[in-house]
Amino acid sequence: MTRYLVRRAALLVGTLFLASIVLFVLLRLLPGDPANALLSVGATPDQVAAARHQIGTDRPLPAQFGHWLSQLATLHFGTSFVSSLPVGPEIVSRLAVTVPLTLSAFVLAVVVAVPVGFLAAHRSHTWYGALVGVVSQLGIAVPAFWLGLLLIWVFALRLRALPAGGFPPDGWAAPGEAVRALALPVVTVALVMAASLIRYVRSATLDVLGSDHLRTARALGSSFVGAMWRHGVRNAAVPVVSVLGIELATTFLGAVVIESVFALPGLGSMLVRGIAQHDYPVIQGVLFVSTLAVLVVGFLADVAQRLIDPRLRGRV
């Protein structure tokens, strides 16, 4: 297990390095000059050259890349071309919205999907199992932004029970307002995620219910609950944990959509602003942090799988 952890940690660092190269190169291939964001319409060539020198885009690409790597080594993501403010502190402040949104939605989705998916598998030949299958398929087909707009119309405009969007200026210093502001976004993301998770939990449970080892345990006198707890839960959890990691990473990356719908000041809105202004440090910082989060989630999911299933611990 130790050898596996060391190998995966080294792979994570190598992947981050390759991701930094890809991010840097792709941004430089995009059309547009970031110096134009600092200038008004009709700027002279001398003014454009001065702006490029100010933000450092007139230097050779290897020098720019080396400068960015040196900043990453000290956890400093550079300075915004437009605002001239450090990117790192702004990312941290934006994470205070994106991370609670993602984790709260993830926990709520798991709490809903695991029991519903298990019961749908256990009662697969009843009307309940068929209804859960139809509802989960419908939930997967519904776009997250459309569901968010529907919840805004019902709970914010019609019932006036929750705010339609925005986040309190004081942030989490006003916890009640912050929780109310995230309520609808969390439910929106959780419902979409739960619809997908229910199908995976149901499928994994059906595989376990039809397995030989579970039938053998029942034949030896174990109750259904006892056989599932001792022999079924662990086997069903292995594929589900992998899917949970993918869903969590996908939700974190997809926060830009929900944050746009609910006007939340998270990483998504920061990325959209950076792209619109060709602000390389902002774009690179947000995408690097997002890549790091996805890789860490995948790493933790792999470790959890090996802790659950002893058969995987010998694989390197």
Side-chain angles (χ1 to χ4, degrees), residues 114 117-118 121-122 200-210 228 236:
V114 170
F118 175 79
H122 185 47
Y200 287 108
V201 173
R202 180 180 181 274
S203 177
T205 306
L206 286 174
D207 290 340
V208 171
L209 291 177
M228 279 296 298

Side-chain angles (χ1 to χ4, degrees), residues 20 26 46 85 93 130 141 144-145 208 238 269 280 292 300:
S20 66
L26 290 181
D46 290 340
L85 295 176
S93 66
F145 73 89
V208 171
V238 173
S269 57
Y280 288 169
L292 175 61
L300 295 178

Side-chain angles (χ1 to χ4, degrees), residues 126-286:
T126 65
W127 65 269
Y128 173 80
L131 178 62
V132 170
V134 172
V135 172
S136 63
Q137 187 64 40
L138 180 62
I140 295 173
V142 173
F145 73 89
W146 186 88
L147 181 60
L149 293 175
L150 178 62
L151 292 179
I152 289 175
W153 181 76
V154 174
F155 292 99
L157 300 181
R158 302 291 295 180
L159 300 180
R160 299 185 181 277
L162 294 169
F167 202 71
D170 297 332
W172 289 101
E177 296 181 18
V179 170
R180 282 173 49 83
L182 289 182
L184 288 182
V186 166
V187 172
T188 301
V189 176
L191 289 177
V192 175
M193 188 188 303
S196 177
L197 289 178
I198 286 173
R199 295 187 63 195
Y200 287 108
V201 173
R202 180 180 181 274
S203 177
T205 306
L206 286 174
D207 290 340
V208 171
L209 291 177
S211 61
D212 294 335
H213 60 269
L214 189 67
R215 284 195 295 264
T216 302
R218 295 295 306 277
L220 293 176
S222 297
S223 64
F224 174 76
V225 175
M228 279 296 298
W229 180 253
R230 294 186 60 185
H231 306 284
V233 172
R234 178 171 292 184
N235 289 286
V238 173
V240 172
V241 166
S242 178
V243 173
L244 288 177
I246 296 173
E247 290 289 337
L248 180 57
T250 303
T251 301
F252 185 84
L253 293 176
V256 59
V257 177
I258 297 302
E259 289 175 1
S260 299
V261 172
F262 291 95
L264 294 175
L267 279 185
S269 57
M270 183 179 179
L271 178 61
V272 171
R273 187 199 69 193
I275 293 174
Q277 297 174 339
H278 289 83
D279 199 340
Y280 288 169
V282 170
I283 302 172
Q284 290 173 166
V286 173

Side-chain angles (χ1 to χ4, degrees), residues 59-77:
R59 293 183 294 175
L61 291 181
Q64 295 182 44
F65 181 67
H67 180 65
W68 186 48
L69 284 184
S70 65
Q71 291 177 329
L72 291 180
T74 58
L75 299 180
H76 178 67
F77 296 100

Side-chain angles (χ1 to χ4, degrees), residues 7 15 17 39 48-49 58 76 87 110 131 143-144 173 176 178-180 199 214 267 270 296:
R7 181 175 177 272
T15 305
F17 178 73
L39 303 171
V48 174
D58 60 337
H76 178 67
V87 175
V110 171
L131 178 62
V179 170
R180 282 173 49 83
R199 295 187 63 195
L214 189 67
L267 279 185
M270 183 179 179
V296 170

